[in-house]
Amino acid sequence: PVRIFATDLDDRAIAFARRGIYPAASLAALPPESIARHFVPVDNGFEIAKEARALVVFGQHDLVQRPPFPNIDLLLCRNVLIYFSPELQERVLQALAYSLNEGGYLVLGRTESTSRLPDFFEPVDRVNRIYRRAGARAPLPGILPSRPRPAAQVRPASAAPAPLSPLAVTGMPLLAEFETDRLPFGLAVIDRRYDIRSIDLPARRLLGIHGIAIGEDFIHLAQRVPSSALRSAIDTVFRNGEPSALEPVMTTDTATGEERHVAITCYPGRLREGGAADLALVVVTDVSDSVQSHRAHEEQAASLLHLVEANRQLLTANQELTLALADAKVANEQAHVDAAAAQANVEEILTLNEELQAANEELETLNEETQATVEELKASNDELALREQDLRTLTATLASERDRLASILQCIGDAVVVIDRNGDVVLSNGVWDDLNTREGGKVVPLDAHGERLPQDQDPLRRAARGEEFLEEFTTGSGDKRRWFEAHGRPWTDGERSGGILAIRDITERSLRLLQDDFIAEVSHELRTPLTVMYSSLELARNILAGHPEAADALEFVDMAWAMAQQQGSLVDDLLDTARLAGGGIVLTRTEADLAALVRDSVDAARLVAGDHRIIYDGPSGPVPAEIDANRIRQVLMALLHNARDYSPPKSDILARLTVDRGMATVSISDSGVGISPEDIDRIFGRLSRADSSRRIHHRGLGLGLYIAREIALAHGGEISVASTPGEGSVFTVKLPLKQAAPAAVKQKKKA
């Protein structure tokens, strides 16, 4: 069982909370299932469900003045103590320590603490200000002392009393000295702070005030009286020193439960003769009898007025009936005259009826003929309506087809134009219009040497003649030169004919082909001098190795040998790129230990790692796989060198091998500069590298990752990268351990 007490000092806040209605925006963070379970939709938001609302008891409560609730398990008092003085904070904490059960929890605001009362609380979470009650239960806080009396109220006992006005009092006014219970009214003495200095039993009963109430706020306790009006009346007494009264207010007698009407009058009181009003004497009078008598008189007067009005209406109705009777008599006489005239008219009507009967027979014959004509016209009209509907359907279909064709043309990435036999454009799309605009208003086709094509080879003229052809041409010159491919087909539309011409921009493809041819040719040309360099350097190393005095020269030869190897690696990348452009990489699969291959690659990379530390994490036993070992080693070395090049000095590089469900995963992790999101999208492209501003040092042409991806794809695997700028990168290669394909496969080039 759960019981939640929700309290506040403000009655308006409590009234608002009792409604339990929240705007939809305030529930945005709740999951839908919680909203469906605990809330009911209303007009402007959501209302808490009855099951949850029944757990909460709302009430007005003063933490400082009222006794605390006992036996609480969880107490939430956040951002309340910050508004109290240190003394009041200690008093409230003592009340909370009294309320909590042993081990109960207290939650305060982020800027609040239990430091003023540490013996009763132990911290559970200092950051979130969560505490647990520990030790013995705190004693119940005592009643706050009343406010000190003004100095003017204290006088020596021997001093003679000053002369008083009729409503002036001296010292603390005590109405209990009088037998006020027998008076037909109640009395209360209020000071300038609205605190009760004295109050008798009739006033308590009429105002519904329970308890001692001495020293408490009179405005707050007299809840049955409008607080603003009561405060205004008391303020008038203190401000002007004159009596002030309120309109009668309906209350309920606490003894009998009857509804009573009370009148409240406030009189000024002075502690000293001639001084300002320091006290207010509130006189509460039971005026129920006079109010009821007044209401009875008002009801009698209203009844009398109702009778007078009814009598007046009866007199008016009588006069109207008299006039109506006279009018009826005149109308009766006129009716006798009209009856005689009507008789004569009847005789004439009978004569006319016989004549109309004959005319009606003639009209019926004519109507039958007209009806036959109408039936014929209706049949013709129905036939026309059907034909009109068919025409509308056909028109709508043609319009839909026309719109669909126009939409298709606009979505085509190539320029499309329909030309009749006269060379006029019948239909085109936006790409054709943009092409003409870019070419200065009209496309001028040129051959590969930049010369204008003959007229009979012009794609537009060939399309107008209805030819079917495929032709390449160029436009522009220099840096603005572009290559196009024109595809023409004949077109016929009834009496009209011509051709449909589709023009595709193949500039990028042409440049790529030229680039691939150039790379292949350069790679082969560079391989020959490199072979000579390897042989010459090897011979020089053998000659110098037997001469200790040539150590410096041998060092330069070794440096040249390293540079030649680096140059050979670049040529190998270019050759692999040329092979990929030419159709793919040929793999020679054999049974190999992938774990040993990764460890060997790590050992080889350590020789050129400098001050970087390369760590291997993987199985110590064999991991058999059908792979091209040389190509996989090429991928691993490319990733390890890449991690070295983009990592700060003395940093670690981790090579991890894992096996799961027939797949082997090799990940290379570094703590380098990382890769920006825009670079990740193109990092595996040809001739692509990360932003040079992030690079520690770099080598190569940006082909290593491109070739590594193609090798992984050729093995039926994949390669990916995850990176955060400034925190490093993780390159992951996934390879299948078993392959049903032949040992030699060829990865086709992707379009």
Side-chain angles (χ1 to χ4, degrees), residues 106-127:
L106 170 65
V107 182
L108 299 178
R110 288 296 182 91
T111 59
E112 301 168 333
S113 69
T114 61
S115 59
R116 302 193 65 83
L117 207 67
D119 296 338
F120 297 99
F121 298 98
E122 61 179 11
V124 176
D125 187 340
R126 294 184 182 275
V127 176

Side-chain angles (χ1 to χ4, degrees), residues 648-672:
K650 299 181 180 180
S651 61
D652 292 343
I653 299 172
L654 176 62
R656 176 179 285 115
L657 171 62
T658 58
V659 179
D660 184 24
R661 299 179 182 180
M663 291 293 293
T665 302
V666 181
S667 61
I668 308 298
S669 306
D670 64 70
S671 57

Side-chain angles (χ1 to χ4, degrees), residues 165-169 236-238 240-244 266-270 276-281:
S165 61
L167 292 179
V169 295
T236 300
V237 170
F238 289 133
N240 302 331
E242 298 178 356
S244 178
C266 303
Y267 297 92
R270 299 176 177 82
D278 300 301
L279 302 173
L281 179 64

Side-chain angles (χ1 to χ4, degrees), residues 512-513 516-517 519-520 574-586 686 706 746-750:
R512 178 62 61 84
L513 292 175
D516 293 340
D517 293 341
I519 290 175
L574 289 174
L575 285 174
D576 286 339
T577 303
R579 293 190 185 101
L580 289 171
I585 295 178
V586 176
R686 290 201 305 178
Y706 165 69
K746 190 174 184 181
Q747 176 69 19
K748 294 298 183 181
K749 178 183 177 183
K750 293 187 177 181

Side-chain angles (χ1 to χ4, degrees), residues 28-40:
L30 290 181
E33 55 272 15
S34 296
I35 297 177
R37 180 179 180 184
H38 299 298
F39 293 88
V40 178

Side-chain angles (χ1 to χ4, degrees), residues 588-599:
T588 303
R589 296 178 183 270
T590 59
E591 184 77 19
D593 183 359
L594 185 59
L597 183 61
V598 176
R599 290 194 298 268

